[in-house]
Amino acid sequence: MSESNLLLDLGLVLAAAMVLLLASRRLHLPSLLAYIVAGVILGPVLGLLAGSESLELFAELGVALLLFVVGMELGFEKIKAVGPVAVAAGAVQVGLTGALGTGVGLLFGLDLSQAWILGAAVAISSTVVVIKLLERAGGLDRREGRLSIGILLVQDIVVAILLTLLGAVGTGGEAGDVDIAAGVLSAFRGVGVLVVVGWVGARFLLPRLLAFMAPSPEGLLVVALAWAFAFIVGAETLHVSIELGALVAGVSMAQCPQNHELRRRVHPLVDLFLALFFVGLGAGMDPSALVRNAGLLATLTLFVVLAKPLIIAVILSALGQPRRESLLTGITLGQVSEFSLILATVAVGAGLLDAELLSVLGLLALASIAASSLMVPAAPGWLDGLEAHRVGRSFLRLLPARTLVSVPEPVRSEHVVVVGMNALGRELVEGFVAQGHRVLAIDTDRGKLEGLPCEVLHGSADEPEILHEANLSRARLAVSALQIEDSNLLLTYRCVELGVPVSVHAFDPSLVHEFLRMGADHVMVPKLDGIKVMEASLHARGLLG
Amino acid sequence: MHDVATLLGAAAVAHLLARTWGVPPTPLLLIAGLAAARVLHLTDAFLEDAVVLGASFLLFTGGLELSARRVGRQGSAAFRVGTSQFAALGLLGFLTGGALGYDPLEASYLALALTASSTLVGIRLLKRRRQMFEPFGRLVLGVLLLQDLLVLTAIPIVLALAMGDRAGWTGAAGVALLGALTWAARRWVGPQLARVEDEPELILLAALTLLFAFLGIGAGMGIPLVVGAFLAGVALSSFPVDGMVRSVVTPISDFFAAIFFTALGALVVTPALPQIAHAALLTVGVIVITVPLVTVLAIRSGLSTRPAVEAGLMLAQTSELSLALGLTGMLAGHIRPEVFTVIALVTVGTMLLTPVLSTDRVALALAHRIPQRSPEDAVALHDHVLILGAGSTGSLLLEDLILADCRLVVVDDDPSLAARLREAGIQVVRGNASDPRILAAACAREARLIISTLHHPRDVETLLKMVESVPVLVRVFDEPEAQWMRARGAEPILFHRASAHGLLEWAREESAELDRRQKDRLPTAPEGEPPRDGAPQPASAG
């Protein structure tokens, strides 16, 4: 009967998530919050979720797949680029924040062994939340995004060490330094093995494998996921966190040209599983702990949401990063993480932490994640506001470094978008370029985009993200040379919605009427156009009329 | 986690092999699952969960893919072909099942399993060969849609008849209810969802919630999972929401499909000789009945011979629906695992054979086997216009030429097309246009002008060698072909270039209008760089 449990649970979770997502849209709140609240409603409030294993599995998968996607986004190059600054910043930040967090714990009467675990938990920020928040605004590519990811990476390593430590201490009972050292060594060795395998794979196996599978999107996805899972299982076997395994798998794929397409394809999977994860997080909350530990919770929340970002901003500025980005990075990292909860769970299991504090941390997670969801999107606006006022500028000048003006990214405008680089598409590109227009060519086949006298974009014009990246709404004209009726209809529909003039290729005269009815401004029908040319030739020879 | 990794690993290997050998991945996924189960231990509870979810997603995607709009004008033809194939194969399955010693319920499951052709395989092949919107492609899509509907409606009825209790009839009523909900969703939910196009997360959750709602209702009324999932897909298959849902759901469904088929393979009982023999017999039966039946009916509905044969070859397999059906039956205890094994084997066999059989060469070879009814014309003409190829382009040209009262001779390979042209009073020489005897029979040297709209332009090579002073106009598809033609004295016509010039001309003429529309949309000056090539702004031209 596990079957009906899984479907029922999934159905409830999805329904609740969707309802709250709709509500959060109305209130302009991020989806993250919606999911957590959905979980709180289903779990503690209504007591509906039975907590099936498969559901937990999916949630775990979500986090792992997210890190896989992050790894693909990152790549060795980017890690190296952010490297030294992030490592330094991360190390100092964890140390400082951890120490201050421990202090708060001591202040509220906890003994040292519990306080330092609290401090460690508070120092860590949530990779999952940060990525979700940055992604929407396209912030992952900007400096604050890269700095955040870099610091998070360092935190991941710290977590790995801590988890190993706690695990070692827990099982031993009376742990000697030797055991702990052995535990740490084995963790590092595990990561090392994964990195080496990843590097070898990236160099010798992946490029050929992925290029071979590229023509079959389904096969490509399955192979890529199998690779990720191999690392996940490997990580488990080596007693390293599966998230790190997935990350290494992703990084090993970052250099391959298929990684853009893969990232886009894996995205819906990640979205689904993550929704399940956050709902699960909310469902696991214990609101009664709130009452008993209100003071501690409130102080910790203020610390995480206000003090931590400032600490990070100061460290980054001192290391030479621009002020604005330092503040943005700090604010982005102003929450605690699911790892904090995992750490605490392990500590409770090892008898080092009160179960009560686990609930406190859970509520802290909820509160700080909620605060982050609201603050991160609003932060650039606030900073703009601050910079505009004299008082604000003096405040900002308290930070050590110089301010850099952030350069807005150039946006395409008044260009002609041509989709589908078949013979017709190429002919059109050359024609429009000759007329002096700026042209953007889109195709799903990288090979077809080579040698064109214009800008190119690799991807499928069926996907809204591609059209967004192509700045379709600002285009002068959109043209589809594709023979695919479905895609042309979709493009026509979208262009009509945006008010962009559109011309499509009709494979057959019978389709012309439908395209025009949908609002296309012009239809190309090679069969008819070519016949006209033939008939003109016949006419010239006196064979027609 | 290990189980998922195992299944995914097996699936990845299957996909690799499928790509290497050029066959659909589904049968290889089944075999990979079979192998994986023998080698590694997979917990049954997890497998069942995976299979149930996978089946739901698979059928949901199937429902999404099949929209009536894609069928176009082939609707009535599809209806004729689809119902006949359903009836014929159903009968084959039921009678054979009975003869082989299966009880009536098992024979019914077998019958239904045989009638469903594979949506996955069909659509993949059509997309790959870019034939989805040709008449025979639309026919195939229509037949697939109809079969899925027939099978899914038949399931509750068959169950009701076989089980004889009221639960079966509640199920049938439930299907009616779901059907009504489907219609309602198409009318109201679809358009609403299309409005939030730029929020893929919301579309995803809404689509999945709908799916699970249908599954829930189905479970409550005793309807098999597969029916609810399929109808949920149909509910969202209206334009434009189908494309949007498809793009967010496809990766999820791909993931679950990989796991589904491999897990299914792991659940299959190792086939013994009797099952293999039964499966072989049924495989041959499916192919031998489907191909001629579909071909004849398709020709009667107006298709030319070769596309009709291709349609028949493309429909000659059983489907993932058959597997889901067999699985449902096995889990419900209606059929023995051996019967499910037979269904799985037939599916693997027919799916593996389809890409091998449905090639151009096989289709042509079979098309030539079909006996002709009208005799060949004796042609003795001169000063005529000779048309090579009367396909979709050629026939458009013919219409205009007939109106202009030209003397025409047509050369085409397709028997039924030739027959139809002759009935319209046009002289036809039936045969291959690269055959010198056919060209001679059509008096090519005496023609005033020759036009080729052949699918493979370079087939005119023979003609060009034969003919010196006759002008030859040839439709070509790219510049290298055009140069090849000029080198041999023919006049190439690049159809796509004509269209491109048409659009460029139009864009130039409408330049002022395009400028105006642009200004309306972008009231503020755009940020960023000026046009890259520094050319004059379009606004200042014309």
Side-chain angles (χ1 to χ4, degrees):
Chain A
M1 282 314 276
S2 68
E3 142 189 342
S4 54
N5 258 346
L6 172 65
L7 286 185
L8 188 62
D9 280 347
L10 263 180
L12 277 175
V13 168
L14 286 170
M18 193 197 73
V19 167
L20 282 170
L21 192 61
L22 282 172
S24 73
R25 269 180 81 237
R26 278 285 169 78
L27 302 169
H28 295 287
L29 291 176
S31 57
L32 208 59
L33 220 50
Y35 298 148
I36 297 182
V37 173
V40 171
I41 293 178
L42 281 180
V45 175
L46 291 177
L48 280 175
L49 274 183
S52 87
E53 263 177 45
S54 295
L55 212 59
E56 279 173 33
L57 180 67
F58 287 134
E60 243 189 334
L61 276 180
V63 181
L65 281 178
L66 178 71
L67 279 148
F68 178 55
V69 171
V70 169
M72 278 199 280
E73 162 74 36
L74 271 187
F76 286 120
E77 303 303 318
K78 285 200 189 156
I79 293 183
K80 268 190 272 173
V82 200
V85 176
V87 171
V92 175
Q93 177 259 320
V94 169
L96 205 57
T97 321
L100 287 172
T102 312
V104 172
L106 289 173
L107 215 65
F108 276 85
L110 296 174
D111 56 40
L112 185 61
S113 59
Q114 296 203 76
W116 81 262
I117 295 177
L118 198 66
V122 158
I124 303 166
S125 308
S126 173
T127 314
V128 168
V129 171
V130 166
I131 291 176
K132 275 232 124 188
L133 289 175
L134 285 180
E135 200 173 49
R136 261 207 137 207
L140 270 177
D141 273 326
R142 288 204 273 266
R143 190 191 290 256
E144 58 263 26
R146 299 208 296 273
L147 284 173
S148 303
I149 302 287
I151 295 182
L152 287 167
L153 258 180
V154 175
Q155 288 178 350
D156 270 344
I157 298 176
V158 170
V159 166
I161 299 175
L162 283 176
L163 277 173
T164 324
L165 270 178
L166 284 174
V169 169
T171 50
E174 273 271 323
D177 287 332
V178 180
D179 291 328
I180 296 181
V184 171
L185 212 61
S186 110
F188 270 111
R189 197 177 43 200
V191 174
V193 168
L194 288 175
V195 168
V196 166
V197 174
W199 185 82
V200 168
R203 200 85 207 281
F204 301 111
L205 177 63
L206 283 178
R208 261 189 262 141
L209 183 62
L210 294 182
F212 179 62
M213 295 304 299
S216 156
E218 188 190 338
L220 181 67
L221 181 68
V222 171
V223 166
L225 286 176
W227 177 258
F229 270 83
F231 275 74
I232 289 176
V233 167
E236 237 181 0
T237 322
L238 293 166
H239 300 294
V240 175
S241 79
I242 62 172
E243 287 81 8
L244 263 179
L247 186 72
V248 174
V251 171
S252 69
M253 276 198 183
Q255 302 290 58
C256 302
Q258 293 79 18
N259 99 61
H260 273 278
E261 189 195 328
L262 269 174
R263 258 188 292 141
R264 236 174 271 126
R265 292 208 100 216
V266 180
H267 222 284
L269 258 176
V270 174
D271 280 345
L272 173 63
F273 290 153
L274 272 187
L276 298 177
F277 170 77
F278 283 116
V279 171
L281 196 68
M285 298 286 168
D286 176 18
S288 63
L290 166 71
V291 177
R292 290 190 293 277
N293 294 281
L296 177 61
L297 186 58
T299 315
L300 282 176
T301 308
L302 282 172
F303 177 70
V304 167
V305 170
L306 291 176
K308 189 157 132 183
L310 279 173
I311 296 175
I312 295 176
V314 168
I315 296 174
L316 283 173
S317 317
L319 287 171
Q321 294 300 309
R323 240 182 246 145
R324 184 187 166 92
E325 274 73 17
S326 304
L327 268 172
L328 284 173
T329 308
I331 294 175
T332 308
L333 293 170
Q335 78 284 124
V336 301
S337 149
E338 59 282 4
F339 280 131
S340 318
L341 300 175
I342 294 173
L343 255 178
T345 312
V346 173
V348 167
L352 292 167
L353 194 72
D354 269 343
E356 181 101 330
L357 287 175
L358 181 56
S359 287
V360 171
L361 273 173
L363 289 165
L364 175 63
L366 180 57
S368 58
I369 291 175
S372 282
S373 329
L374 294 169
M375 285 173 69
V376 171
W382 290 348
L383 284 179
D384 285 336
L386 265 184
E387 276 164 9
H389 291 327
R390 225 188 46 187
V391 175
R393 281 200 291 273
S394 342
F395 167 69
L396 283 178
R397 243 176 260 125
L398 289 175
L399 288 175
R402 321 165 260 121
T403 327
L404 265 181
V405 176
S406 309
V407 180
E409 279 137 20
V411 168
R412 279 185 211 95
S413 198
E414 295 181 44
H415 50 297
V416 177
V417 176
V418 183
V419 179
M421 289 299 108
N422 48 27
L424 176 61
R426 299 184 84 96
E427 191 83 31
L428 285 168
V429 163
E430 278 165 33
F432 279 114
V433 166
Q435 274 185 1
H437 294 289
R438 182 176 176 182
V439 177
L440 174 69
I442 303 181
D443 198 278
T444 51
D445 185 341
R446 204 172 283 275
K448 295 213 182 114
L449 291 170
E450 281 168 27
L452 287 172
C454 65
E455 284 172 72
V456 300
L457 177 59
H458 175 238
S460 163
D462 286 348
E463 315 247 332
E465 298 103 60
I466 294 288
L467 295 178
H468 189 72
E469 217 176 308
N471 305 115
L472 180 66
S473 54
R474 308 181 72 97
R476 175 182 172 75
L477 174 66
V479 182
S480 171
L482 293 172
Q483 282 190 317
I484 307 170
E485 182 184 329
D486 283 342
S487 298
N488 289 349
L489 278 172
L490 208 53
L491 183 69
T492 307
Y493 173 80
R494 286 182 174 137
C495 285
V496 169
E497 294 275 299
L498 290 170
V500 177
V502 61
S503 167
V504 289
H505 174 183
F507 176 70
D508 196 80
S510 60
L511 297 170
V512 172
H513 177 70
E514 191 167 352
F515 283 129
L516 289 176
R517 199 179 52 85
M518 287 224 65
D521 299 273
H522 179 268
V523 183
M524 296 177 281
V525 194
K527 280 185 185 159
L528 293 179
D529 297 327
I531 286 180
K532 270 195 214 128
V533 173
M534 276 187 172
E535 286 176 359
S537 190
L538 288 172
H539 193 80
R541 289 178 165 89
L543 279 165
L544 264 186
Chain B
M1 196 64 91
H2 281 260
D3 291 340
V4 177
T6 312
L7 287 177
L8 267 181
V13 171
H15 271 282
L16 267 167
L17 289 175
R19 169 104 179 85
T20 317
W21 293 332
V23 295
T26 309
L28 293 181
L29 286 168
L30 282 168
I31 297 174
L34 202 65
R38 304 298 164 255
V39 173
L40 299 145
H41 175 64
L42 294 160
T43 55
D44 272 338
F46 167 74
L47 274 184
E48 277 193 34
D49 273 346
V51 150
V52 162
L53 260 184
S56 309
F57 275 109
L58 206 61
L59 279 142
F60 179 62
T61 323
L64 269 182
E65 281 286 4
L66 300 175
S67 74
R69 182 188 50 79
R70 278 170 164 185
V71 180
R73 297 208 199 116
Q74 298 297 324
S76 50
F79 184 78
R80 244 173 285 147
V81 173
T83 42
S84 315
Q85 186 187 359
F86 184 79
L89 286 177
L91 212 57
L92 167 78
F94 193 74
L95 293 175
T96 315
L100 291 175
Y102 299 151
D103 66 47
L105 187 56
E106 289 177 336
S108 311
Y109 266 91
L110 195 62
L112 278 179
L114 286 188
T115 58
S117 305
S118 172
T119 312
L120 281 185
V121 171
I123 290 199
R124 170 180 286 124
L125 270 177
L126 285 173
K127 276 190 183 160
R128 189 152 42 116
R129 297 182 189 168
R130 297 172 196 265
Q131 291 168 326
M132 193 132 91
F133 304 109
E134 300 199 14
F136 92 92
R138 293 185 194 270
L139 175 70
V140 168
L141 280 169
V143 171
L144 291 172
L145 169 62
L146 185 66
Q147 278 172 354
D148 281 349
L149 284 174
L150 285 172
V151 170
L152 291 169
T153 345
I155 292 174
I157 299 177
V158 161
L159 284 180
L161 287 172
M163 313 275 281
D165 60 4
R166 206 184 300 153
W169 298 110
T170 323
V175 173
L177 171 64
L178 278 182
L181 283 175
T182 307
W183 178 85
R186 280 177 75 95
R187 268 212 84 195
W188 288 298
V189 175
Q192 288 296 324
L193 214 50
R195 294 225 202 103
V196 289
E197 158 159 54
D198 51 354
E199 293 189 51
E201 224 174 319
L202 184 56
I203 295 186
L204 177 64
L205 281 181
L208 292 181
T209 306
L210 187 90
L211 169 63
F212 277 87
F214 271 55
L215 289 178
I217 296 175
M221 304 200 72
I223 305 173
L225 225 61
V226 294
V227 180
F230 182 75
L231 286 175
V234 175
L236 292 172
S237 67
S238 53
F239 183 85
V241 80
D242 64 337
M244 300 169 193
V245 172
R246 221 178 289 135
S247 71
V248 289
V249 165
T250 305
I252 300 183
S253 145
D254 283 347
F255 172 73
F256 280 109
I259 300 206
F260 171 69
F261 287 117
T262 28
L264 210 59
L267 284 174
V268 167
V269 163
T270 323
L273 199 55
Q275 279 95 53
I276 299 182
H278 295 180
L281 178 65
L282 288 168
T283 304
V284 170
V286 165
I287 298 178
V288 161
I289 289 193
T290 309
V291 179
L293 180 67
V294 171
T295 306
V296 167
L297 287 175
I299 292 179
R300 285 234 194 100
S301 306
L303 250 58
S304 327
T305 314
R306 197 189 45 81
V309 174
E310 268 194 83
L313 291 168
M314 232 177 241
L315 288 170
Q317 80 283 124
T318 53
S319 120
E320 54 283 0
L321 184 54
S322 322
L323 289 173
L325 186 61
L327 178 73
T328 314
M330 185 173 77
L331 289 177
H334 294 164
I335 63 176
R336 289 168 289 144
E338 289 78 12
V339 181
F340 178 56
T341 306
V342 171
I343 295 179
L345 284 175
V346 173
T347 308
V348 169
T350 49
M351 278 191 181
L352 282 175
L353 282 173
T354 301
V356 171
L357 287 178
S358 64
T359 53
D360 259 353
R361 250 192 295 154
V362 175
L364 262 175
L366 284 177
H368 282 159
R369 288 265 161 84
I370 297 182
Q372 303 318 309
R373 272 178 296 148
S374 48
E376 303 284 328
D377 269 342
V379 182
L381 278 186
H382 61 278
D383 237 18
H384 51 288
V385 174
L386 177 60
I387 315 275
L388 303 179
S392 48
T393 315
S395 45
L396 284 170
L397 185 61
L398 274 174
E399 282 173 24
D400 291 339
L401 292 178
I402 292 171
L403 283 174
D405 228 2
C406 292
R407 238 182 315 186
L408 292 173
V409 177
V410 175
V411 169
D412 197 279
D413 210 351
D414 196 286
S416 44
L417 195 57
R420 240 172 278 143
L421 286 172
R422 286 199 191 108
E423 274 163 38
I426 303 175
Q427 287 191 306
V428 180
V429 176
R430 199 187 77 77
N432 193 316
S434 53
D435 185 342
R437 292 168 298 173
I438 299 291
L439 294 172
C443 304
R445 283 206 196 86
E446 285 79 42
R448 193 156 161 207
L449 177 80
I450 304 178
I451 303 181
S452 154
T453 60
L454 295 171
H455 277 163
H456 302 286
R458 294 190 200 207
D459 284 348
V460 296
E461 183 159 23
T462 324
L463 172 75
L464 293 173
K465 286 198 197 125
M466 267 180 84
V467 149
E468 283 125 19
S469 53
V470 183
V472 180
L473 304 178
V474 184
R475 171 181 70 169
V476 292
F477 295 105
D478 55 48
E479 186 57 44
E481 266 174 7
Q483 285 172 6
W484 190 93
M485 294 293 161
R486 279 185 215 113
R488 284 159 184 74
E491 188 181 322
I493 314 247
L494 284 155
F495 274 35
H496 69 267
R497 182 165 290 168
S499 283
H501 284 174
L503 176 61
L504 288 164
E505 222 13 79
W506 176 85
R508 200 180 293 131
E509 280 163 23
E510 297 290 313
S511 180
E513 174 69 17
L514 289 176
D515 288 340
R516 187 192 62 78
R517 283 180 67 173
Q518 176 123 41
K519 279 209 185 67
D520 287 344
R521 257 180 302 125
L522 308 169
T524 56
E527 326 150 6
E529 14 181 280
R532 271 170 35 156
D533 45 14
Q537 291 275 12
S540 62

